[in-house]
Amino acid sequence: MPTTNDHGQQMACARLLTIVGLAGIGLIHLLDSVETFHETRWLFWAYVALMAATVVVSGALLHRPTVRWYEAAALLALLPLVGFVLSRTSGLPGSDDDIGNWTDSLGLASLWVEGAVLLTSGYAVALGLAARTAPAARTPLRVSPLER
């Protein structure tokens, strides 16, 4: 059974990896937003919202890491992943030029980072839920300060 210190280290690692992954998602969409601004304006603004959300959730994870913020990180990773698949299969409204373009390097990098964020945030959620349901360690009742 992991000790409290092990649990804290695992949560710290998951938090760090999730924050770095969110920064990666924001950076990848920033790089893709230049072309998108001229091609599909609504998608550009969706990218801006995604980038802003990655900053907000990363900041929240840095200062107040709770299960809810890890769930938000997972959602931020899942949404562009679904968008990638839709853009490559049926196309997005006003943007059908990526249909079948499964080997786009930024798209593949995005899938990799989004998958990593899904895994690390999911791991943190599982650790957080396990910590909530774990029984408290039994300590003997002390009647006086001299008892051991």
Side-chain angles (χ1 to χ4, degrees):
M1 175 175 215
T3 65
T4 305
N5 191 30
D6 290 341
H7 182 266
Q9 288 176 345
Q10 292 168 347
M11 285 299 287
C13 287
R15 182 171 71 170
L16 174 67
L17 291 173
T18 302
I19 290 171
V20 169
L22 287 171
I25 291 172
L27 175 63
I28 288 168
H29 287 85
L30 173 67
L31 295 174
D32 195 35
S33 69
V34 176
E35 278 184 25
T36 308
F37 180 79
H38 299 292
E39 295 170 357
T40 313
R41 195 65 54 100
W42 74 267
L43 189 55
F44 168 79
W45 289 110
Y47 281 6
V48 170
L50 176 67
M51 289 182 281
T54 61
V55 171
V56 169
V57 172
S58 293
L61 285 174
L62 189 61
H63 295 289
R64 299 251 177 182
T66 64
V67 170
R68 293 285 183 202
W69 287 115
Y70 285 107
E71 291 170 345
L75 182 63
L76 285 179
L78 185 62
L79 290 175
L81 197 146
V82 169
F84 178 85
V85 171
L86 287 175
S87 69
R88 277 23 181 209
T89 54
S90 62
L92 297 173
S95 176
D96 59 359
D97 54 335
D98 278 330
I99 294 176
N101 186 14
W102 292 97
T103 58
D104 176 54
S105 56
L106 270 180
L108 292 175
S110 182
L111 286 178
W112 175 263
V113 175
E114 290 153 6
V117 170
L118 277 172
L119 289 174
T120 58
S121 58
Y123 179 71
V125 167
L127 282 176
L129 294 177
R132 283 186 193 170
T133 59
R138 293 182 181 234
T139 57
L141 178 64
R142 289 186 174 177
V143 179
S144 75
L146 299 176
E147 285 185 33
R148 290 201 180 243

